[in-house]
Amino acid sequence: GNSVTQMEGPVTLSEEAFLTINCTYTATGYPSLFWYVQYPGEGLQLLLKATKADDKGSNKGFEATYRKETTSFHLEKGSVQVSDSAVYFCALRGGGSNYKLTFGKGTLLTVNP
Amino acid sequence: GAVVSQHPSRVICKSGTSVKIECRSLDFQATTMFWYRQFPKKSLMLMATSNEGSKATYEQGVEKDKFLINHASLTLSTLTVTSAHPEDSSFYICSAETSAYEQYFGPGTRLTVT
């Protein structure tokens, strides 16, 4: 079956530091890959996505590249802000009729001023 | 675009009563909606897939008679927790899927059963 493994954290950084949150996946076929962000007490927001190999998703300074050869979709940001503090979830959606999202366990990011 | 709302955002109920949570897609039609449960500091657990006009598909281990799902229209799905008990206390999140197979999530409902 499909699975997503992401670094567990928590991750604590100072403002303007570089961020990487690793995510690898196992899936059959050609999945779509997503990063979601959850701020305290809120639901999940779609941060970025990639639907095929070598696609790069980007949004709000965050980027992730769909690497089929390494089955990875690592999230990066060059300079984090305090407002980026949240839980980040990597997820995949299987191809075809396999419509369910499979989530990683989430990584808590705390950015200190 | 792609906004999903949930109501209520917080609810406290007494043990043995039932609680209904609404999930609405505000600016798009969603043939498929999903209901998740999230425990503290944990990932989301898919409870069921709600399809407009048909019965919901429940994940293994989820009691369909306890968690009633109705997908009455292309913009509304409801989750009713029947005969709630303290162990049902949790954060319930819905999502709605667009025609491009992207899931957009509601803000969640915090249920506390006393």
Side-chain angles (χ1 to χ4, degrees), chain A residues 1 13 15 18 23 33 42 44 50 64 68 71-73 81 97:
Chain A
L13 297 173
E15 206 164 22
F18 183 85
C23 172
L33 302 173
E42 299 183 9
L44 275 67
K68 193 169 177 62
T71 61
S72 65
F73 193 55
Q81 305 300 312
S97 61

Side-chain angles (χ1 to χ4, degrees), chain B residues 88-102:
Chain B
D88 298 325
S89 298
S90 194
F91 194 54
Y92 292 87
I93 304 176
C94 73
S95 71
E97 188 173 68
T98 69
S99 57
Y101 302 115
E102 293 175 346

